[in-house]
Amino acid sequence: MSRSNRGDKLDPREVQIVHAITRTTRACYLLGDDPATGKNYDHRKRWVESLIERFAAQFAIDVLAYSVLSTHHHQMLRSRPDVVATWDNTEVARRWLMICPKRKDADGNPMAPTDPELDTIRNSPDRLSEIRLRLSDVSWWMRLLNQRVAQRANREDGASGRFFEDRFKGIPVIDDESVLACAVYVDLNWIRACMAETLELSDYTSAQRRIASLETEPKEPEIDRDLQSEASAESDAGEEASRQRLSDSFLAPVNLCEATAQPGPQPSGKHARCSDKGFLPISNAEYLELLDWSARQVVNGKSGKTPGHLPPILLRLGLSPTIWLELVADFDDLFTTMAGLPENIDQQRGKQTGRPFHVRKRTRELFAQAA
């Protein structure tokens, strides 16, 4: 079967959620502990994570979930052309020049663009229109991220040639059921790959970031400050660096807050992410509870005692435990071109070809069980 055309499914002019997967060439362990060479490349996982964090502050793309493993990485992204529309020409030019800077400082970080540099974009209507589109384009996000990781790895190895497969796989996620299943699937990757036993130990995942952020929230002191012993400056600096490293401020919030949130694009007042719009009709705590429950069921793989009641979101979505666990265990195999309920996928047509999208037989059978 020929590969599907990404342009037939993805459009930066539309708000879309996309599950993006990139694999290293020939599934080599180029992002982790390589059994073939005995070399360890775990530090490259941090490269990917750092770029996700940096891009989240500049692109008009929300990061919903991600995980970085030894042979591939997953990202669940939401394009936000509606947020781009709230930015003036200077802001559009500034953001692009922070992504692709003309100048860098001694540490390799992008330097703030000058007025002449900004003018190269904002004074050119065609160029400006092109950049506006790129800022909400998942393909450009993945292209630049993978390109920079590959170039840095090749420099480190003194090598050339392909580092990743020739292109990423992008699957639109089109309904609430699949958004929830996809997020859980992505966050559980370390556990499913037997790289971690718990969510908090799942390094380089959005799940770990969300959990760590909860654990480091400021708390009221339990004793008088005058009685507290002074911590060393080195210890304080280390703790602060740890808090910053594990911050989830660049991630989209979980809760849509449908009852209280203001309508519209909700651009973020922070500089760490595109918008403050959530992506699920549940709280962060409920999501982590469901994630933990799913992780224990999938990892153990045993017919142990199932909780007497499931998290309410499963009941609201009409998903049984059996169906839910297969969804989050085999998401990639069940959805190869588009993710959603079969009847919802059947209603979609290619943006360029007008053709329907293929739904696998097992996917139809699985959801038929819930009918």
Side-chain angles (χ1 to χ4, degrees), residues 224-367:
D224 193 299
R225 291 178 181 176
D226 293 335
L227 300 179
Q228 294 179 355
S229 60
E230 294 185 1
S232 68
E234 182 178 348
S235 176
D236 286 345
E239 290 178 1
E240 178 61 24
S242 177
R243 282 195 293 272
Q244 291 177 356
R245 187 182 73 80
L246 294 175
S247 168
D248 69 343
S249 59
F250 68 99
L251 297 173
V254 171
N255 200 340
L256 277 166
C257 300
E258 294 171 304
T260 58
Q262 295 294 320
Q266 300 178 36
S268 180
K270 304 176 182 179
H271 298 293
R273 64 189 180 205
C274 164
S275 80
D276 294 329
K277 189 178 183 66
F279 62 100
L280 290 172
I282 56 176
S283 69
N284 188 49
E286 287 175 315
Y287 174 69
L288 292 176
E289 181 182 358
L290 175 61
L291 196 59
D292 178 65
W293 181 85
S294 301
R296 283 183 281 112
Q297 304 303 315
V298 173
V299 170
N300 290 337
K302 299 177 181 178
S303 56
K305 181 180 179 182
T306 299
H309 64 280
L310 297 177
I313 185 63
L314 291 185
L315 301 180
R316 293 203 298 271
L317 294 177
L319 297 174
S320 73
T322 303
I323 294 173
W324 172 253
L325 292 176
E326 185 167 348
L327 272 178
V328 300
D330 300 325
F331 193 90
D332 259 357
D333 293 329
L334 291 168
F335 304 109
T336 56
T337 57
M338 184 170 289
L341 296 175
E343 58 266 31
N344 291 339
I345 298 177
D346 289 340
Q347 295 175 13
Q348 303 294 315
R349 292 295 182 272
K351 300 177 185 303
Q352 298 175 352
T353 64
R355 296 174 182 171
F357 294 101
H358 174 68
V359 180
R360 290 195 166 183
K361 180 181 178 182
R362 178 55 191 156
T363 308
R364 292 191 185 278
E365 291 173 347
L366 187 65
F367 284 99

Side-chain angles (χ1 to χ4, degrees), residues 185-258:
Y185 169 78
V186 170
D187 273 332
L188 289 185
N189 256 258
W190 267 62
I191 292 175
R192 289 190 62 234
C194 299
M195 295 173 65
E197 292 184 348
T198 64
L199 294 168
E200 57 270 27
L201 295 179
S202 297
D203 295 333
Y204 309 105
T205 66
S206 47
Q208 186 189 57
R209 288 296 190 109
R210 294 192 193 278
I211 292 169
S213 185
L214 285 177
E215 293 175 344
T216 57
E217 285 180 353
K219 297 180 177 64
E220 289 297 323
E222 297 179 359
I223 59 176
D224 193 299
R225 291 178 181 176
D226 293 335
L227 300 179
Q228 294 179 355
S229 60
E230 294 185 1
S232 68
E234 182 178 348
S235 176
D236 286 345
E239 290 178 1
E240 178 61 24
S242 177
R243 282 195 293 272
Q244 291 177 356
R245 187 182 73 80
L246 294 175
S247 168
D248 69 343
S249 59
F250 68 99
L251 297 173
V254 171
N255 200 340
L256 277 166
C257 300
E258 294 171 304

Side-chain angles (χ1 to χ4, degrees), residues 83-103:
V83 174
V84 180
T86 69
W87 297 338
D88 62 21
N89 294 346
T90 297
E91 182 66 5
V92 168
R94 184 194 69 79
R95 285 176 177 268
W96 185 253
L97 290 171
M98 291 299 289
I99 297 167
C100 299
K102 300 290 187 182
R103 295 169 297 112

